[in-house]
Amino acid sequence: MFLITCPFCGEREQSEFKAGGEAHIERPKQPTELSDDEWAEYLFMRKNIKGIQFERWNHAHGCRKWFNMVRDTSNDQIKAVYKMGEKPPIK
């Protein structure tokens, strides 16, 4: 078990948080004009890389707020945590 720093509440145990998938996915501007394949691509296809990943997380058993995290998936090391709407502190 490791600790995650919630940008609103501070450091808490990992068990209080739920992963919400890849961060910074831009919604299509005209979704009704997409083909079924294009809509499926937007809804379901996400990066699943080994290395630096930008993710959304929710403090489900705490303040219940969403935030973003930069995490190295190869070793679970958290590189940065930042609020929704903020630019990633790491590229």
Side-chain angles (χ1 to χ4, degrees):
M1 182 93 29
F2 59 90
L3 299 175
I4 294 176
T5 301
C6 173
F8 305 99
C9 304
E11 200 170 70
R12 301 287 193 267
E13 288 188 14
Q14 173 199 4
S15 62
E16 292 189 17
F17 299 88
K18 298 290 182 197
E22 188 177 345
H24 309 293
I25 303 296
E26 188 174 331
R27 184 174 175 83
K29 298 206 185 303
Q30 300 293 329
T32 57
E33 295 177 12
L34 298 179
S35 69
D36 287 345
D37 287 340
E38 290 169 325
W39 185 243
E41 177 80 19
Y42 163 71
L43 288 177
F44 303 114
M45 301 308 292
R46 299 292 181 257
K47 296 175 187 171
N48 187 16
I49 60 172
K50 181 178 180 180
I52 301 298
Q53 182 85 2
F54 294 84
E55 304 170 326
R56 298 172 0 148
W57 283 75
N58 179 257
H59 193 178
H61 301 288
C63 68
R64 304 180 73 73
K65 293 184 180 177
W66 286 89
F67 60 93
N68 291 320
M69 179 187 298
V70 182
R71 185 174 66 92
D72 187 334
T73 61
S74 67
N75 58 19
D76 258 350
Q77 184 180 19
I78 298 169
K79 302 290 187 178
V81 174
Y82 55 104
K83 294 178 181 178
M84 300 293 275
E86 292 180 351
K87 291 187 179 188
I90 298 173
K91 293 190 179 204

